[in-house]
């Protein structure tokens, strides 16, 4: 006959309770993952609930990424959101316009910016070279319905910089206008190819990603190619010396363009201020 002491009964009870607890916790964790088909459904969730894990079962497309906090902007036909991945949970490398499927993570809002924090690496891209056509909107639409477009690639039409002087610098805010209302453009994406270039006047159509900080809502271009000038000009230089005599074969640079020696005509120069240099050996 087996004898059971009070201690052995307690140990069996504790072990059994511990196993049941593990099973219950496992089931709870599995049940806590809420599936949504697309970003539109995700954006309807409670962004003050930072604990629920969501799985986006549909494919999303990458429209921008940067090393800062391993951030990625993603969107689909129903909405867009910023992936903020400071710990570097996503280890797979993606190219612009890759498709990503099966993202899992939590949501939050910081400085009016809706964010998705990944819980695991979703793995290899499920498609590539996807075409993302920016949504064309007026500046009034941008201002009045900002949250409808946050983190989605948009083209804001017919806008100009109010003070087109100096060069673009990282993390700066510049006023833009369509002649009737104003908004703010911010160089949110550090070190991109237009940083350090002259601030143009306009008008422009500017493609970019609406984004927010505690101090406001902004439009931010990703690349120099996101600026689409609506007005361009032809510039011809007359190069003379101190005696007002013409100088032949000088080399002229306007902005990033350098013509051949003696070529003093520049075509399709966008509106705004542009730095220029004129050089000639012996002068």
């Amino acid at each position: 006959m087996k004898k059971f002491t009070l201690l052995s009964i307690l140990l069996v009870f504790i072990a059994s309770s511990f196993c049941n607890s593990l099973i219950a916790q496992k089931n709870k964790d599995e049940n806590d993952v809420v599936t949504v088909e697309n970003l539109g459904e995700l954006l309807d969730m409670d962004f003050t609930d930072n604990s629920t894990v969501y799985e986006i079962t549909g494919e999303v497309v990458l429209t921008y990424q940067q090393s800062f906090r391993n951030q990625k902007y993603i969107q689909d036909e129903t909405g867009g959101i910023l992936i903020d991945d400071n710990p570097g949970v996503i280890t797979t490398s993606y190219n612009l316009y890759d498709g990503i499927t099966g993202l899992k993570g939590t949501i939050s809002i910081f400085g009016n910016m809706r964010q998705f924090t990944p819980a695991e690496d979703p793995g290899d891209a499920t498609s590539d070279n996807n075409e993302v056509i920016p949504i064309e909107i007026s500046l009034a639409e941008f201002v009045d319905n900002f949250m409808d477009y946050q983190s989605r690639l948009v083209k804001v039409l017919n806008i100009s910089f109010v003070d087109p002087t100096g060069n673009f610098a990282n993390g700066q805010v510049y006023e833009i206008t369509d002649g009737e209302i104003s908004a703010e453009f911010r160089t949110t994406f550090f070190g991109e190819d237009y940083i350090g270039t002259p601030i143009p006047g306009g008008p422009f159509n500017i493609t970019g990603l609406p984004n927010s900080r505690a101090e406001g809502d902004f439009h931010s271009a990703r690349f120099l190619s996101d600026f689409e000038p609506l007005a361009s000009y032809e510039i011809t230089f007359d190069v003379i010396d101190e005696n007002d005599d013409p100088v032949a074969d000088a080399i002229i640079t306007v902005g990033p363009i350098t013509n051949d020696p003696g070529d003093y005509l520049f075509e399709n120069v966008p509106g705004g201020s542009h730095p220029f240099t004129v050089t000639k050996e012996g002068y």
Side-chain angles (χ1 to χ4, degrees):
M1 176 182 293
K2 294 184 178 179
K3 294 183 178 180
F4 294 92
T5 65
L6 179 61
L7 177 60
S8 64
I9 293 172
L10 286 174
L11 288 174
V12 170
F13 176 76
I14 291 171
S16 175
S17 298
F18 179 70
C19 290
N20 289 336
S21 176
L22 287 177
I23 293 170
Q25 183 63 44
K26 181 176 183 293
N27 291 335
K28 179 178 183 297
D29 290 342
E30 290 175 349
N31 293 335
D32 274 352
V33 177
V34 176
T35 60
V36 294
E37 291 185 3
N38 52 51
L39 290 177
E41 286 189 21
L42 182 70
L43 295 174
D44 284 337
M45 299 301 171
D46 180 9
F47 274 76
T48 65
D49 171 13
N50 307 148
S51 60
T52 299
V53 176
Y54 295 93
E55 179 180 3
I56 308 166
T57 58
E59 186 179 64
V60 298
V61 176
L62 177 68
T63 57
Y64 182 76
Q65 59 186 336
Q66 60 181 353
S67 59
F68 174 69
R69 299 183 64 87
N70 301 300
Q71 290 182 341
K72 296 174 175 62
Y73 284 78
I74 56 171
Q75 70 177 69
D76 59 19
E77 293 294 329
T78 64
I81 199 168
L82 167 67
I83 295 177
D84 186 62
D85 183 21
N86 195 41
V89 170
I90 297 178
T91 56
T92 301
S93 296
Y94 299 107
N95 296 316
L96 206 60
Y97 305 123
D98 274 354
I100 305 170
T101 303
L103 276 166
K104 288 183 182 179
T106 57
I107 57 176
S108 62
I109 189 162
F110 181 77
N112 201 42
M113 189 69 183
R114 293 176 299 203
Q115 301 182 152
F116 183 89
T117 303
E120 62 184 42
D121 180 28
D124 293 342
T126 47
S127 64
D128 58 18
N129 295 317
N130 291 283
E131 182 180 13
V132 178
I133 300 175
I135 305 169
E136 295 188 358
I137 59 174
S138 66
L139 191 60
E141 177 70 10
F142 174 86
V143 172
D144 293 343
N145 299 295
F146 179 85
M147 294 305 289
D148 290 344
Y149 302 107
Q150 188 183 76
S151 298
R152 302 177 75 178
L153 202 60
V154 300
K155 180 186 290 187
V156 183
L157 304 175
N158 195 28
I159 54 177
S160 302
F161 288 91
V162 172
D163 183 21
T165 57
N167 295 339
F168 284 116
N170 288 322
Q172 300 302 305
V173 176
Y174 306 92
E175 186 179 4
I176 52 177
T177 183
D178 64 357
E180 295 183 2
I181 63 172
S182 296
E184 292 182 319
F185 177 99
R186 185 176 187 271
T187 47
T188 296
F189 308 127
F190 285 28
E192 291 298 351
D193 57 355
Y194 66 94
I195 301 300
T197 66
I199 301 167
F204 285 87
N205 295 335
I206 301 182
T207 296
L209 292 163
N211 60 100
S212 301
R213 294 168 58 86
E215 59 267 33
D217 299 326
F218 307 101
H219 189 41
S220 297
R222 304 163 302 164
F223 316 114
L224 188 61
S225 58
D226 285 337
F227 295 83
E228 177 189 339
L230 299 180
S232 61
Y233 302 89
E234 183 178 283
I235 301 174
T236 301
F237 286 82
D238 291 323
V239 183
I240 57 176
D241 63 16
E242 65 273 16
N243 299 316
D244 292 334
D245 293 326
V247 176
D249 295 329
I251 298 175
I252 302 177
T253 298
V254 176
I257 306 300
T258 299
N259 278 358
D260 293 332
D263 183 357
Y264 299 161
L265 173 64
F266 289 80
E267 298 179 311
N268 299 318
V269 179
S273 60
H274 303 274
F276 70 92
T277 60
V278 181
T279 60
K280 168 72 175 180
E281 187 176 352
Y283 286 88

